[in-house]
């Protein structure tokens, strides 16, 4: 291989990547889906690669190689030379140039790579053999959930995949209308979801088939009955035989989906096709269509595949936080999952029978009444070039606002209709927020069963709460969407709550709320960021308290009130004409029977306008097993309505991100998740945000972010005009990138409409400002908002979440000691150096000679540590060197100059004489509400609700245009 194509594999680089792998692994430790995958895979033949650990960590890489007496660096190089070969790899190149040019580039760049041989490992046995089948595995989950998974062992079936046997089987096992597994399980209160999935195209030499059930607690207790329903349905399918009419229905929709397939992201699409091209049974001409089109109907192949799904050929996994009748004592070695393995009882492995009454309920689905009867495309009389940017406002009154955008660029038979229903009862209180969430879940579950055939015909319904609205919509093939929406709205308006389903979904909402405490630190901090900014907003404790007050009668009354006085925004988009849009809006008004309401009477969400100052909130961590901590540092910039500031921030985040990632992740290894970017709040302000999640102490990480920000100003200053100008075209290109589908266009338009800004030409405005932007503008922006030394209105909020193992200062310590001293002390504690108090560290930093070298300062710190930690030793030997020579155990007396402790010490000493730079920013004395202020002038938020009450709120943005409907009307 040509030397220029060989990676360097430097030893220090390997150590760096090893740590990155370990950080990723630790970030996955509390993820249930990782646990389940590894437990299921690990419970197979240990010799088979399928059973192996897929992520890796320090122990499995470095630890294992040392235990085997191997050099990890050498083993990596051997692995590279054995497997990184063109014989078993694929090269994917995506670009805007012609195929001839791309091919020429590939040939010139990669021809020197030597072809050797196919070194892909060949395994000629199934990972799930007789020893693994027939097993019943109970395991504990991190979150409260109830899972059943039946896994069947299948041979490799790539050769028959073109006949699409599993498209047929998946559709039937996942069917949700009366007669299906789902319908029976739901009626008995045993499950809320079921799906079937084949791995037939993934692996070489074998396949598996999984049936997954999202159970209820009752379903878990009655898991034998649940399994009997599944096998009862499969038995019915076998006895009924393959149904050609049903296969043809599926094929008809698949052909239409392929014929009118939306464009995808080029790189993602190319990568997927490359992977799918590995199937030797698929000819190159069929690679694009293999996931959609069936080569033929083959009843024998379908019957053969159904035959594998028998009681003698599966194993059962049952997951829950707690198991009443089983004690989980075994521990999975990578994620520490506690589990138990037993043999499935004989009545669950042969001749499994469901009760006669349930057997009578199981039957095949009927003909699909939602199949599109027309896929014709309605084109505008005049096709604009370029396509129109704006939808047409058809009508606007105190009940409804109707927008319409006819497809004038994609010309496919697709459509989408969205409703945003605003009502003062949606989420004006924690209780109403929960009731709206519960209502959407109940209605969606019932309609999922009623309208499943519509989804099989590529027509979908959705209903969800969000942004103070009830969002309702339909999408898919345009022909039947108005009728689909009519059916859904009839159900919503006349919905009566079923007692059993109420209990099931109330428990699901409760689990959903409580499980948020198991989210990763970054996710939890973002939620808190939202709670702090938005009014009203409801945190975890408030929602959990209100859950106790939810009743069936209360939900029924809420449903009636919700639509008694409401206002609807509506967008009809796609393959429609104006008359269809108007007819559909009339249908909405007739069905919902809305009472007129003034939009001003509906309380809109408002955004906090935080006054200048530097604020910190330490958010408690709920999951004591989580190893990671996180910080989100937010620097508030210009208004979201100031186009100049908005585009300047976008350029800035593009420049900052790579440097931030390279410094704090690649170089300093402070976390696996390291990100710099921007965020914005509707009707509020833009913000530059820095995020780090990892095992490092948040106080230390914040100081490293501060250091990066101070130094980055110099990097901006050093940008040449050419370097700056080269960053603009890519952003312009991204903004001007053509929309790929009606759905994508709908999303863009709908966001503008729901925001009430109607800024449909935002892209053009942004581009015009980008073209006028200069390097000086970027520096001025940085100095105005981010540079703490020059920003007069400097406003910053740091959210921190520390793992249970990380030391955190008390409020009194925060007030007493500088943040750099807290960071240094935290770094010492993180490395188990507990012999010094924070007062000792403050005293040391205050008296240290700033002109001394870091090595000298570390030695002095070591001597102080020894004096405090081992006074008996220090009384016998006077020098640190003597202690080392005497081989006396004195942990922590040597601090490496490249360590975090050294860096933290340097930062603490260099800032020891700095004046309290943030003290004068805030005009409010928050000490009067018991907030503490650090020596530098940073305010500690101890009660965010109380802090909210001291701050002003941003007003509601004025629309960017005067709204004049096409049809003048009243009422």
């Amino acid at each position: 291989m040509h030397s220029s194509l060989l990676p360097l594999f430097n030893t220090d680089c390997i150590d760096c990547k090893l740590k990155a792998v370990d950080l990723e692994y630790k970030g996955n430790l509390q993820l249930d889906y990782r646990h389940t995958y590894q437990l299921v895979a690990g419970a197979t033949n240990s010799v088979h690669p399928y059973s192996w650990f897929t992520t890796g960590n320090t122990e499995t890489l470095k630890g294992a190689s040392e235990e085997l007496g191997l050099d990890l660096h050498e083993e990596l190089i051997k692995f590279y030379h054995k497997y990184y070969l063109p014989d078993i790899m694929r090269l994917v190149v995506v670009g805007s140039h012609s195929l001839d040019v791309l091919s020429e580039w590939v040939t010139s760049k990669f021809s020197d790579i030597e072809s050797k041989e196919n070194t892909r490992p060949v395994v000629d046995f199934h990972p799930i053999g007789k020893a693994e089948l027939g097993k019943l595995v109970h395991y504990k989950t991190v979150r409260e959930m109830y899972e059943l998974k039946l896994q069947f062992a299948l041979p490799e079936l790539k050769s028959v995949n073109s006949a699409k046997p599993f498209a047929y089987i998946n559709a039937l096992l996942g069917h949700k209308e009366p007669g299906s597994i789902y319908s029976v399980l739901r009626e008995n209160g045993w499950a809320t979801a079921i799906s079937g999935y084949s791995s037939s195209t993934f692996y070489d030499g074998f396949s598996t088939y999984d049936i997954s059930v999202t159970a209820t607690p009752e379903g878990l207790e009655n898991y034998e009955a649940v399994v009997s329903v599944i096998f009862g349905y499969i038995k019915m399918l076998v006895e009924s035989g393959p149904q050609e009419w049903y296969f043809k229905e599926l094929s008809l929709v698949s052909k239409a989906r392929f014929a009118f397939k939306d464009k995808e992201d080029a790189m993602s699409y190319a990568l997927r096709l490359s992977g799918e091209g590995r199937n030797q049974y698929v000819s190159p001409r069929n690679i694009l269509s293999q996931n959609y089109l069936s080569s033929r109907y083959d009843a024998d192949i379908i019957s053969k595949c159904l035959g594998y799904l028998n009681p003698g050929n599966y194993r059962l996994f049952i997951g829950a936080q707690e198991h009443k009748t089983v004690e989980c004592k075994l521990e999975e070695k990578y994620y520490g999952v506690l589990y138990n393995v037993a043999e499935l009882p004989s009545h669950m492995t042969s001749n499994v029978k469901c009760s006669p009454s349930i057997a009578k309920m199981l039957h095949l689905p009927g003909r699909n009444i939602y199949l599109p009867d027309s896929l014709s495309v309605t084109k505008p009389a005049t096709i604009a070039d370029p396509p129109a940017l704006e939808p047409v406002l058809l009508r606007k009154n105190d009940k409804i606002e109707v927008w319409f955008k006819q497809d004038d660029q994609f010309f496919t038979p697709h459509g989408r209709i969205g409703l945003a229903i605003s009502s003062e009862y949606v989420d004006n209180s924690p209780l109403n927020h929960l009731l709206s969430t519960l209502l959407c879940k109940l209605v969606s579950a019932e309609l999922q069963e009623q309208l499943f055939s519509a989804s099989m015909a590529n027509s979908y319904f959705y209903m969800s709460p969000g942004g103070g609205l009830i969002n309702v919509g339909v999408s898919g093939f345009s022909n039947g969407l108005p009728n689909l929406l009519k059916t859904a709205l009839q159900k919503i308006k006349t919905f009566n709550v079923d007692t059993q389903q109420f209990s099931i979904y109330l428990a699901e909402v409760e689990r959903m709320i409580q499980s948020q405490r198991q989210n990763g630190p970054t996710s939890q901090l973002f939620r808190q960021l939202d709670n702090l900014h938005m009014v009203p907003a409801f945190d975890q404790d408030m929602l959990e308290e209100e859950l106790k007050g939810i009743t069936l009668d209360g939900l029924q009354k809420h449903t009636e009130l919700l639509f008694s006085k409401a206002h609807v925004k509506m967008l009809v988009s796609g393959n429609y004409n104006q008359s269809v849009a108007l007819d559909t809006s009339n249908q909405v008004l007739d069905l919902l029977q809305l009472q007129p309401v003034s939009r001003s009477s509906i309380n809109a969400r408002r955004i906090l306008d935080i006054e200048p100052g530097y604020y910190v909130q330490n958010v408690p961590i709920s999951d004591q097993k989580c190893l990671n901590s996180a910080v989100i540092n937010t620097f508030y910039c210009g208004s979201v309505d100031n186009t100049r500031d908005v585009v300047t921030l976008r350029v800035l985040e593009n420049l900052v991100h790579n440097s931030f990632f390279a410094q704090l992740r690649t170089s300093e290894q402070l976390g696996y998740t390291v990100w710099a970017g921007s965020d914005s709040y509707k009707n509020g302000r833009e913000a530059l945000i820095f995020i780090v999640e990892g095992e490092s102490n948040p106080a230390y990480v914040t100081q490293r972010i501060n250091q990066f920000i101070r130094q980055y100003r110099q990097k901006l200053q050093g940008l040449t005009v050419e370097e700056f100008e080269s960053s603009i075209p890519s952003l312009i290109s991204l903004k001007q990138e053509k929309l790929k589908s009606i759905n994508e266009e709908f999303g863009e338009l709908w966001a503008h409409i729901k925001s009430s800004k109607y800024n449909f030409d935002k892209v053009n405005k942004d581009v015009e400002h980008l073209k006028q932007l200069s390097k000086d503008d970027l520096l001025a922006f940085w100095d105005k908002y981010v540079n703490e030394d020059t920003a007069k209105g400097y406003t910053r909020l740091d959210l921190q979440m520390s793992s249970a193992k990380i030391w955190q200062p008390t409020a009194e310590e925060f007030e007493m000691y500088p943040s750099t001293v807290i960071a240094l002390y935290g770094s010492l504690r993180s490395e188990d150096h507990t012999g010094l108090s924070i007062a000792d560290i403050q005293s040391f930093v205050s008296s240290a000679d700033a002109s001394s070298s870091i090595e000298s300062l570390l030695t002095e710190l070591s001597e102080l540590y020894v004096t405090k930690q081992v006074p008996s030793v220090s009384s016998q030997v006077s020098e640190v060197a003597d202690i080392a020579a005497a081989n006396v155990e004195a942990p922590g007396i040597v601090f490496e100059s490249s360590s975090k402790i050294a860096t933290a010490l340097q930062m603490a000493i260099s800032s020891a004489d700095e004046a309290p730079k943030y003290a004068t920013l805030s005009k409010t004395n928050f000490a009067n509400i018991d907030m503490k202020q650090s020596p530098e002038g940073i305010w500690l938020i101890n009660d965010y609700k109380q802090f909210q009450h001291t701050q002003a709120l941003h007003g509601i943005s004025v629309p960017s245009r005067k709204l004049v409907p096409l049809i003048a009307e009243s009422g």
Side-chain angles (χ1 to χ4, degrees):
M1 186 180 295
H2 195 280
S3 60
S4 65
L5 295 171
L6 282 170
L8 296 176
F9 288 126
N10 292 331
T11 305
D12 56 346
C13 181
I14 291 175
D15 290 340
C16 179
K17 294 302 180 185
L18 177 63
K19 188 170 183 179
V21 169
D22 198 59
L23 286 169
E24 179 183 9
Y25 159 72
K26 288 174 178 174
N28 295 335
L29 283 174
Q30 296 298 93
L31 299 180
D32 277 305
Y33 78 93
R34 290 279 189 176
H35 292 192
T36 304
Y37 176 86
Q38 192 59 49
L39 183 68
V40 170
T44 60
N45 190 317
S46 61
V47 180
H48 200 285
Y50 178 65
S51 71
W52 297 350
F53 187 31
T54 56
T55 302
N57 58 30
T58 300
E59 183 59 33
T60 60
L61 292 168
K62 189 174 183 179
S65 60
E66 290 175 352
E67 186 177 325
L68 295 170
L70 301 172
D71 183 277
L72 181 59
H73 180 243
E74 292 180 2
E75 293 303 309
L76 181 63
I77 293 174
K78 288 179 185 177
F79 184 90
Y80 173 82
H81 284 295
K82 183 174 182 179
Y83 294 116
Y84 277 66
L85 301 171
D87 310 83
I88 58 173
M89 296 181 71
R90 289 172 182 268
L91 174 67
V92 176
V93 178
V94 173
S96 58
H97 296 78
S98 69
L99 291 178
D100 288 341
V101 170
L102 293 177
S103 298
E104 182 182 339
W105 288 352
V106 168
T107 302
S108 64
K109 299 292 184 184
F110 296 95
S111 291
D112 286 340
I113 299 179
E114 299 175 11
S115 174
K116 295 183 179 179
E117 59 183 13
N118 188 338
T119 57
R120 181 186 294 133
V122 177
V123 184
D124 58 359
F125 62 92
H126 204 292
I128 306 174
K130 289 184 179 180
E132 291 76 35
L133 290 169
K135 293 292 188 289
L136 173 59
V137 181
H138 288 81
Y139 64 95
K140 290 192 173 186
T141 59
V142 175
R143 298 170 185 259
E144 185 181 359
M145 58 176 60
Y146 308 93
E147 297 181 323
L148 296 177
K149 181 189 287 288
L150 290 76
Q151 186 175 63
F152 299 85
L154 279 63
E156 183 183 300
L157 295 170
K158 290 180 182 178
S159 61
V160 302
N161 191 58
S162 62
K164 295 291 178 287
F166 287 108
Y168 176 91
I169 294 171
N170 294 350
L172 288 170
L173 294 184
H175 214 280
K176 292 179 172 59
E177 292 185 358
S180 65
I181 299 172
Y182 170 84
S183 179
V184 171
L185 295 181
R186 183 172 183 269
E187 187 171 326
N188 283 278
W190 291 340
T192 58
I194 182 171
S195 61
Y197 182 74
S198 166
S199 69
S200 60
T201 61
F202 281 6
Y203 308 113
D204 292 331
F206 77 100
S207 301
T208 61
Y209 191 86
D210 294 354
I211 298 177
S212 297
V213 178
T214 302
T216 63
E218 293 73 20
L220 208 72
E221 289 182 12
N222 293 279
Y223 71 85
E224 291 190 9
V226 172
V227 171
S228 73
V229 172
I230 292 171
F231 280 118
Y233 191 83
I234 293 173
K235 180 182 178 183
M236 181 273 297
L237 293 181
V238 171
E239 291 176 350
S240 301
Q243 306 293 307
E244 186 173 6
W245 67 268
Y246 188 71
F247 185 89
K248 286 183 175 179
E249 280 191 354
L250 297 176
S251 296
L252 176 68
V253 175
S254 292
K255 287 178 181 177
R257 280 176 171 158
F258 181 68
F260 301 105
K261 181 180 175 298
D262 291 334
K263 292 181 179 179
E264 298 180 39
D265 174 74
M267 179 56 79
S268 300
Y269 188 49
L271 286 170
R272 182 163 57 79
L273 292 179
S274 175
E276 292 169 352
R278 289 181 55 241
N279 187 347
Q280 61 179 313
Y281 300 101
V282 178
S283 66
R285 65 187 294 239
N286 292 329
I287 286 178
L288 295 178
S289 63
Q290 65 165 323
N291 286 331
Y292 297 87
L293 306 184
S294 170
S295 61
R296 64 196 184 283
Y297 168 70
D298 195 317
D300 291 339
I301 288 177
I302 293 174
S303 295
K304 184 177 181 179
C305 290
L306 271 173
Y308 293 123
L309 310 185
N310 67 76
N313 187 42
Y314 82 108
R315 50 194 190 142
L316 178 62
F317 293 84
I318 302 177
Q321 267 190 336
E322 297 294 335
H323 297 274
K324 294 180 180 179
T325 60
V326 175
E327 193 171 357
C328 297
K329 293 184 176 180
L330 300 174
E331 184 174 335
E332 190 275 328
K333 61 182 178 180
Y334 299 115
Y335 292 105
V337 182
L338 296 176
Y339 68 101
N340 179 75
V341 181
E343 297 291 329
L344 281 165
S346 58
H347 65 273
M348 294 186 71
T349 58
S350 62
N351 197 28
V352 179
K353 294 182 179 179
C354 59
S355 68
S357 60
I358 286 181
K360 290 180 181 179
M361 297 170 66
L362 300 171
H363 59 78
L364 289 164
R367 304 275 177 169
N368 193 338
I369 62 172
Y370 291 99
L371 290 176
D373 53 22
S374 172
L375 292 174
S376 61
V377 174
T378 303
K379 292 187 178 182
T382 303
I383 298 175
D385 186 20
L389 289 175
E390 304 180 11
V392 177
L393 177 59
L394 296 182
R395 63 196 306 185
K396 182 181 184 296
N397 55 46
D398 54 8
K399 293 181 182 179
I400 197 166
E401 181 180 306
V402 183
W403 294 84
F404 169 64
K405 173 64 167 64
Q406 184 172 9
D407 176 21
D408 58 356
Q409 57 182 313
F410 306 107
F411 307 120
T412 64
H414 294 125
R416 187 161 176 180
I417 305 171
L419 307 180
I421 304 171
S422 55
S423 164
E424 61 179 299
Y425 300 104
V426 174
D427 66 352
N428 62 336
S429 70
L431 179 60
N432 282 345
H433 173 86
L434 290 168
L435 289 171
S436 297
T437 301
L438 179 56
L439 174 65
C440 289
K441 282 188 171 292
L442 283 162
V443 172
S444 296
E446 188 154 331
L447 283 171
Q448 188 179 45
E449 185 171 350
Q450 183 178 340
L451 301 177
F452 182 77
S453 288
S455 68
M456 296 301 292
N458 200 46
S459 296
Y460 306 95
F461 162 82
Y462 64 87
M463 179 180 181
S464 64
L469 305 165
I470 298 293
N471 298 288
V472 175
V474 288
S475 63
F477 289 139
S478 57
N479 181 252
L481 293 186
N483 284 333
L484 182 62
L485 181 63
K486 177 181 178 180
T487 302
L489 292 179
Q490 285 172 334
K491 173 60 67 177
I492 292 170
K493 185 64 177 178
T494 61
F495 185 66
N496 287 310
V497 184
D498 175 81
T499 304
Q500 182 189 55
Q501 295 302 309
F502 167 80
S503 298
I504 289 172
Y505 282 94
L506 175 58
E508 185 173 295
V509 170
E510 185 173 358
R511 289 194 296 272
M512 179 186 73
I513 298 298
Q514 292 173 344
S515 71
Q516 290 171 358
R517 297 190 185 277
Q518 274 78 47
N519 288 344
T522 300
S523 176
Q524 291 192 55
L525 288 185
F526 264 120
R527 182 174 179 81
Q528 177 56 23
L529 201 59
D530 285 343
N531 287 337
L532 196 148
H533 281 99
M534 290 190 292
V535 179
F538 316 114
D539 61 29
Q540 197 86 16
D541 293 335
M542 297 169 71
L543 294 174
E544 288 177 358
E545 181 63 29
E546 290 295 339
L547 279 167
K548 303 170 186 175
I550 294 180
T551 64
L552 190 148
D553 287 342
L555 178 62
Q556 195 69 61
K557 290 176 181 175
H558 176 75
T559 304
E560 295 165 3
L561 285 172
L562 193 63
F563 300 105
S564 62
K565 283 190 175 183
H567 185 274
V568 175
K569 285 187 176 184
M570 180 175 180
L571 172 61
V572 180
S573 172
N575 186 37
Y576 299 109
N577 56 37
Q578 184 174 300
S579 63
V580 173
L582 285 170
D583 290 345
T584 306
S585 68
N586 288 329
Q587 177 179 276
V588 169
L589 291 173
D590 291 342
L591 289 168
L592 293 183
Q593 290 295 302
L594 299 171
Q595 297 299 313
V597 60
S598 168
R599 293 301 312 278
S600 61
S601 68
I602 299 174
N603 294 325
R605 283 190 171 180
R606 304 282 293 278
I607 303 301
L608 213 65
D609 186 11
I610 298 177
E611 68 177 89
Y614 185 174
Y615 309 92
V616 173
Q617 184 186 6
N618 292 315
V619 183
I621 195 164
S622 305
D623 186 354
Q624 298 299 301
K625 294 181 180 179
C626 182
L627 298 179
N628 281 350
S629 302
V631 299
I632 297 181
N633 294 351
T634 304
F635 296 78
Y636 295 91
C637 303
S639 165
V640 294
D641 296 323
N642 185 323
T643 302
R644 187 76 167 184
D645 277 356
V646 169
V647 299
T648 305
L649 181 57
R650 296 299 174 268
V651 174
L652 188 60
E653 72 168 310
N654 280 357
L655 293 169
V656 168
H657 173 73
N658 289 339
S659 296
F660 185 69
F661 185 89
Q663 181 61 39
L664 273 73
R665 187 183 190 276
T666 306
S667 179
E668 299 189 33
Q669 295 279 289
L670 294 185
Y672 181 73
T673 301
V674 176
W675 182 83
S678 65
D679 200 358
S680 62
Y681 285 92
K682 174 185 172 184
N683 304 319
R685 294 167 73 179
E686 292 281 331
L688 181 63
I689 291 184
F690 297 91
I691 299 170
V692 177
E693 179 179 320
E695 290 188 279
S696 299
N697 188 310
Y700 174 82
V701 171
T702 296
Q703 294 305 315
R704 297 311 300 150
I705 293 174
N706 290 346
Q707 186 70 10
F708 171 84
I709 290 169
R710 292 188 193 104
Q711 294 175 347
Y712 195 75
R713 209 285 181 186
Q714 298 173 359
K715 186 165 185 175
L716 284 178
Q717 182 70 51
L719 278 177
T720 65
V721 174
E722 292 74 19
E723 288 172 332
F724 169 78
E725 291 180 348
S726 68
S727 67
I728 302 296
S730 60
L731 190 55
I732 291 177
S733 177
L734 185 65
K735 285 185 171 292
Q736 292 181 328
E737 184 177 346
K738 289 185 177 180
L739 298 170
K740 300 180 181 68
S741 66
I742 287 173
N743 268 337
E744 201 170 288
E745 181 183 50
F746 177 94
E748 293 279 339
L749 299 176
W750 198 217
H752 292 308
I753 292 168
K754 288 171 67 177
S755 73
S756 296
K757 294 181 180 177
Y758 311 101
N759 197 4
F760 301 115
D761 59 345
K762 183 179 186 300
V763 168
N764 289 340
K765 291 178 181 176
D766 287 353
V767 168
E768 285 305 309
H769 280 278
L770 280 169
K771 290 177 179 178
Q772 299 167 16
L773 212 59
S774 69
K775 174 188 164 182
D776 288 341
D777 294 325
L778 204 62
L779 286 167
F781 182 93
W782 184 272
D783 288 340
K784 183 178 180 181
Y785 297 116
V786 185
N787 187 345
E788 61 189 21
D789 296 323
T790 58
K792 294 179 180 179
Y794 185 81
T795 311
R796 173 176 174 178
L797 171 66
D798 292 356
L799 296 187
Q800 302 180 356
M801 179 173 283
S802 300
S803 72
K805 68 176 185 176
I806 295 290
W807 171 84
Q808 293 185 75
T810 63
E812 289 69 27
E813 288 169 333
F814 177 90
E815 183 178 37
M816 187 177 299
Y817 301 108
S819 56
T820 51
V821 170
I822 289 173
L824 173 56
Y825 184 67
S827 299
L828 286 163
R829 291 288 297 265
S830 293
E831 296 189 20
D832 296 325
H833 300 311
T834 57
L836 298 175
S837 68
I838 190 170
D840 293 330
I841 297 300
Q842 170 65 34
S843 177
F844 176 82
V845 169
S846 298
S847 60
D849 183 356
S851 64
S852 298
S853 68
I854 187 61
E855 290 77 13
S856 298
L857 292 169
L858 287 171
T859 300
E860 292 174 23
L861 183 61
S862 300
E863 291 171 351
L864 175 63
Y865 186 87
V866 171
T867 302
K868 296 284 186 177
Q869 180 77 349
V870 282
S872 60
V873 172
S874 60
S875 64
Q876 299 171 31
V877 288
S878 58
E879 299 292 337
V880 175
D882 292 338
I883 295 175
N887 198 27
V888 177
E889 187 75 22
I893 63 168
V894 177
F895 300 116
E896 298 291 337
S897 60
S898 61
S899 67
K900 290 179 182 176
I901 292 173
T903 303
L905 176 59
Q906 207 162 23
M907 290 189 297
I909 290 176
S910 64
S911 64
D913 296 327
E914 287 185 0
K917 61 180 71 175
Y918 310 112
T920 60
L921 291 172
S922 303
K923 304 304 179 185
T924 304
N925 184 6
F926 295 105
N928 294 334
I929 58 170
D930 296 325
M931 284 172 57
K932 304 294 186 183
Q933 190 172 33
S934 74
E936 304 100 320
I938 305 170
W939 285 106
L940 178 65
I941 300 174
N942 55 349
D943 182 338
Y944 83 91
K945 283 293 183 184
Q946 194 172 32
F947 174 73
Q948 274 185 335
H949 293 157
T950 69
Q951 301 296 294
L953 298 177
H954 282 282
I956 303 299
S957 295
V958 175
S960 63
R961 64 191 61 211
K962 184 175 177 62
L963 301 182
V964 180
L966 191 67
I967 300 173
E969 58 184 345
S970 60

